[in-house]
Amino acid sequence: CSKEGACAWEDIALRNLFSKVINAVGCTVAGLHDFSRLVPMLTKLGARHVSYGVSEAAYWQVLGEALDLTLSEILGDAYTHEVQSSWSMVYNFMSSIMVQGLQAAIQQQQ
């Protein structure tokens, strides 16, 4: 919470975004056995972000850092190096494919 008493968790938009990120990571883990479906799904999801006003891949890096900090805060001591590495590996895999989809969508608009 900030000095003013406002907590990020009280922001409905941030809570919804966090839920979507966690869901996407979960779907990625669940879909790892079938890359032929997973990669196109993540590519389309990344491309959809053009309509949300996302124009730079840097957003995914910032979101990854925010996810790492949030998980660390929520999980505390349970957020071991192994857990952090696992989350990072899946998030980086997922976001790299989504960024490719975003970049392809941006090129199509030009």
Side-chain angles (χ1 to χ4, degrees), residues 24-66:
V25 171
C27 288
T28 300
V29 171
L32 286 175
H33 69 284
D34 189 357
F35 280 95
S36 65
R37 292 181 65 201
L38 177 63
V39 171
M41 186 266 305
L42 291 174
T43 303
K44 288 178 188 173
L45 183 57
R48 237 180 24 216
H49 281 70
V50 168
S51 65
Y52 306 145
V54 176
S55 59
E56 297 180 35
Y59 288 108
W60 271 272
Q61 181 181 351
V62 172
L63 184 58
E65 292 169 8

Side-chain angles (χ1 to χ4, degrees), residues 16-110:
N16 287 339
L17 176 61
F18 186 73
S19 294
K20 289 178 182 182
V21 171
I22 296 299
N23 184 52
V25 171
C27 288
T28 300
V29 171
L32 286 175
H33 69 284
D34 189 357
F35 280 95
S36 65
R37 292 181 65 201
L38 177 63
V39 171
M41 186 266 305
L42 291 174
T43 303
K44 288 178 188 173
L45 183 57
R48 237 180 24 216
H49 281 70
V50 168
S51 65
Y52 306 145
V54 176
S55 59
E56 297 180 35
Y59 288 108
W60 271 272
Q61 181 181 351
V62 172
L63 184 58
E65 292 169 8
L67 176 64
D68 182 57
L69 291 171
T70 302
L71 289 171
S72 176
E73 184 177 314
I74 291 171
L75 297 176
D77 291 340
Y79 198 56
T80 63
H81 178 69
E82 291 81 15
V83 172
Q84 181 184 27
S85 292
S86 296
W87 274 97
S88 292
M89 181 176 19
V90 173
Y91 180 81
N92 290 333
F93 168 77
M94 176 191 81
S95 64
S96 69
I97 295 170
M98 290 178 68
V99 165
Q100 289 174 5
L102 172 71
Q103 291 170 339
I106 290 170
Q107 286 180 349
Q108 286 181 346
Q109 286 186 336
Q110 296 175 347

